[in-house]
Amino acid sequence: MTIKKLTILPTGIEILLPAGSPLTEVEYETPQRLIPFGCRSGSCGACVIEVLEGFTSLGEPDHDELDFLEDLGRTGGNHRLACQCRLRDDATVRVAEES
């Protein structure tokens, strides 16, 4: 099993997960609520993250995710819904501030 590292800012906490793990697994690795997951299905927008390093390490966003991010005003290509991501390689993300 290959282990990958997810760094979450602004705390700088590093979470180690098996490659291919959904980012929702973060909540089981620490008692802190580092990413505010809501519905876990990509329809509430609670878990918007800004990907600072390793955008492709989280898999490709599908059309529905991109459309919803646009509805949220999160265009520009560096935002994702954490609940829709799988950690395929090391990445650094920051929980997006509410817009």
Side-chain angles (χ1 to χ4, degrees):
M1 169 177 21
T2 305
I3 301 296
K4 301 300 177 184
K5 177 176 66 175
L6 178 68
T7 304
I8 303 171
L9 300 178
T11 62
I13 292 177
E14 297 176 346
I15 304 291
L16 300 176
L17 295 170
S21 294
L23 292 197
T24 53
E25 293 295 309
V26 166
E27 63 189 355
Y28 302 114
E29 298 298 320
T30 178
Q32 297 172 287
R33 190 169 186 211
L34 300 175
I35 300 174
F37 292 105
C39 68
R40 293 172 180 74
S41 65
S43 61
C44 75
C47 65
V48 175
I49 54 173
E50 180 182 6
V51 183
L52 304 175
E53 293 179 22
F55 189 86
T56 59
S57 300
L58 301 176
E60 290 294 320
D62 66 21
H63 186 67
D64 290 337
E65 180 182 355
L66 293 173
D67 282 348
F68 188 59
L69 286 167
E70 185 176 338
D71 291 345
L72 295 174
R74 303 293 185 163
T75 57
N78 61 337
H79 288 94
R80 294 289 311 268
L81 298 173
C83 69
Q84 301 300 297
C85 297
R86 290 188 172 271
L87 188 62
R88 296 184 175 150
D89 207 343
D90 296 348
T92 301
V93 302
R94 175 176 38 225
V95 175
E97 295 178 11
E98 292 185 32
S99 55

